[in-house]
């Protein structure tokens, strides 16, 4: 999927000055896919909660309690997000790690909710499903992370207006969720 993901972003952001944005978009997209698959494959809700807790605390000390596949994913996510945050600090002129951590924490909470629904054999209403699905689709995490690398300095005020509640983002993630679901619905 790496080539597919990179090609998709390269086709729309082809300018040389957006190379870092393309790289961050690709890395974020790959982790969204990997973590979605990881959470779908996990049978233990406790392991998912531990992984989510490690992300929330941004704590490597919890890794030793994780199954091997989760250890690999957490260490990879931790290192990659820290690397992106360092790039973002240089680009934005301030620490963006808390912002990035919050995006991933929110993302993982949506995966956990879906896993709990499956475990409990709970069928959410369409509204509940869409509310969570707009986060679990991963587009917000990917786009909001990448936005830090478009060449513009984004103030905290601008970032807050681009958050999950913005009309643009709501339309984008709703469309993304429905497009993906029409392809995978059985």
């Amino acid at each position: 999927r790496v080539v597919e993901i990179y090609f998709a972003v390269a086709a729309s952001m082809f300018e040389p000055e957006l190379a870092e944005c393309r790289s961050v978009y690709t890395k974020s997209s790959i982790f969204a896919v990997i973590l979605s698959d990881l959470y779908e494959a996990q049978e233990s809700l406790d392991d998912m909660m531990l992984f989510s807790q490690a992300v929330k605390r941004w704590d490597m000390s919890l890794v030793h309690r994780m199954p091997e596949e989760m250890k690999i994913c957490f260490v990879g996510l931790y290192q990659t997000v820290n690397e992106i945050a360092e790039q973002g600090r240089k680009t934005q002129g301030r620490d963006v790690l808390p912002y990035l951590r919050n995006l991933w924490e929110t993302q993982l909470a949506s995966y956990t909710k879906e896993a709990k629904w499956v475990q409990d054999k709970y069928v959410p209403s369409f509204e509940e499903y869409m509310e969570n699905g707009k986060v679990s689709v991963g587009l917000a995490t990917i786009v909001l992370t990448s936005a830090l690398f478009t060449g513009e300095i984004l103030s905290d005020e601008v970032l807050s207006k681009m958050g999950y509640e913005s009309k643009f983002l709501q339309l984008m993630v709703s469309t993304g969720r429905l497009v993906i679901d029409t392809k995978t619905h059985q």
Side-chain angles (χ1 to χ4, degrees):
R1 305 254 345 245
V2 176
V3 173
E4 172 191 347
I5 290 167
Y6 187 79
F7 181 76
V9 71
S12 59
M13 292 191 291
F14 50 83
E15 296 88 353
E17 62 271 16
L18 294 176
E20 193 171 37
C21 185
R22 287 190 298 272
S23 174
V24 167
Y25 180 97
T26 302
K27 290 174 185 178
S28 299
S29 296
I30 290 166
F31 268 103
V33 169
I34 288 170
L35 295 177
S36 174
D37 290 349
L38 178 73
Y39 273 57
E40 285 177 16
Q42 276 302 311
E43 294 182 12
S44 168
L45 197 55
D46 289 339
D47 287 343
M48 288 180 228
M49 299 296 281
L50 176 63
F51 191 96
S52 296
Q53 186 65 28
V55 169
K56 182 176 185 151
R57 291 174 32 191
W58 211 237
D59 188 352
M60 288 288 284
S61 72
L62 297 176
V63 169
H64 74 280
R65 295 177 31 207
M66 295 178 188
E68 194 60 33
E69 66 277 6
M70 287 192 140
K71 285 179 188 177
I72 293 166
C73 291
F74 181 78
V75 170
L77 178 69
Y78 184 88
Q79 291 173 344
T80 302
V81 171
N82 282 336
E83 173 190 305
I84 291 169
E86 180 57 27
Q87 290 172 273
R89 186 189 59 71
K90 292 174 185 170
T91 302
Q92 293 293 317
R94 67 181 191 291
D95 184 14
V96 297
L97 182 60
Y99 178 75
L100 298 175
R101 287 176 51 194
N102 181 261
L103 291 174
W104 284 105
E105 184 181 333
T106 303
Q107 186 74 39
L108 295 177
S110 72
Y111 295 158
T112 302
K113 182 178 269 190
E114 289 178 351
K116 186 155 178 36
W117 287 345
V118 169
Q119 180 181 338
D120 294 346
K121 296 183 170 93
Y122 175 74
V123 179
S125 68
F126 179 75
E127 290 76 21
E128 283 178 295
Y129 172 76
M130 281 302 294
E131 191 63 33
N132 193 67
K134 289 187 289 188
V135 177
S136 70
V137 72
L139 288 172
T141 301
I142 296 162
V143 169
L144 294 174
T145 300
S146 303
L148 297 169
F149 299 92
T150 58
E152 300 294 324
I153 302 297
L154 303 175
S155 68
D156 289 334
E157 181 184 352
V158 169
L159 287 177
S160 70
K161 290 179 180 174
M162 290 174 35
Y164 284 101
E165 299 308 314
S166 78
K167 187 79 164 169
F168 170 76
L169 200 63
Q170 286 295 309
L171 292 171
M172 181 187 66
V173 296
S174 295
T175 302
R177 174 82 278 159
L178 294 171
V179 166
I180 289 169
D181 286 350
T182 57
K183 289 181 178 181
T184 60
H185 178 71
Q186 294 178 8

